Amino acid sequence: MAQQDNIAVQTAFGEAVNSGNLAALTGLVAAGAVDHDPAPGQGPGPEGYQAMFGELRRAFPDLHVEVEHVMGTDDELAFAYTISGTHSGELAGHAPTGRTVRYRGMQISRFEGGKLVERWGSSDELGMMRQLGLA
């Protein structure tokens, strides 16, 4: 696939997360997609991403992921992003704090046949927990 095609898939992925239309991930993530840095309890494939982002969106209903820098090859994209939102729902057993968070992350995604097949990445989850007063 061309780099621009992969950017389009990754952009659609971000739009699905930001809008809460997580069902769209089924068309963007391969059934056996592997996340090499999964969230606790996250399963494989689109269902794993739907569950993980569903939990985040319940905790942060205004969740927004903003991509800030993208680099790519024919089958991989690397990008930096910022996640923001207001903690209005339960998060990992913690009651809502009403606080707003803003934290950074980086990811590498590999694509085959127009779908995400592998992901490596990290977000500053400790920084998020500190902003919420939970760490």
Side-chain angles (χ1 to χ4, degrees):
M1 280 193 75
Q3 180 179 349
Q4 291 304 320
D5 295 333
N6 296 334
I7 290 172
V9 172
Q10 191 66 58
T11 299
F13 187 108
E15 290 169 356
V17 170
N18 286 338
S19 71
N21 180 18
L22 301 179
L25 297 179
T26 300
L28 304 169
V29 178
V34 175
D35 190 332
H36 295 282
D37 302 297
Q42 179 183 338
E47 297 83 7
Y49 288 103
Q50 289 166 332
M52 186 266 294
F53 281 113
E55 183 178 330
L56 264 181
R57 288 200 55 83
R58 284 186 292 280
F60 300 94
D62 60 346
L63 180 76
H64 184 77
V65 180
E66 180 180 347
V67 174
E68 296 165 350
H69 185 74
V70 178
M71 295 177 61
T73 66
D74 286 343
D75 65 346
E76 293 180 323
L77 294 176
F79 57 96
Y81 57 88
T82 298
I83 298 174
S84 59
T86 306
H87 184 211
S88 304
E90 184 177 308
L91 175 68
H94 297 284
T97 63
R99 294 182 180 182
T100 299
V101 297
R102 186 170 174 82
Y103 59 102
R104 308 265 338 255
M106 296 189 76
Q107 177 172 316
I108 299 170
S109 300
R110 189 172 71 78
F111 300 86
E112 284 182 6
K115 292 190 176 188
L116 176 72
V117 295
E118 283 186 281
R119 175 201 172 271
W120 298 262
S122 181
S123 298
D124 184 12
E125 291 155 4
L126 179 57
M128 173 193 66
M129 297 299 275
R130 284 182 175 153
Q131 291 175 49
L132 296 175
L134 302 174

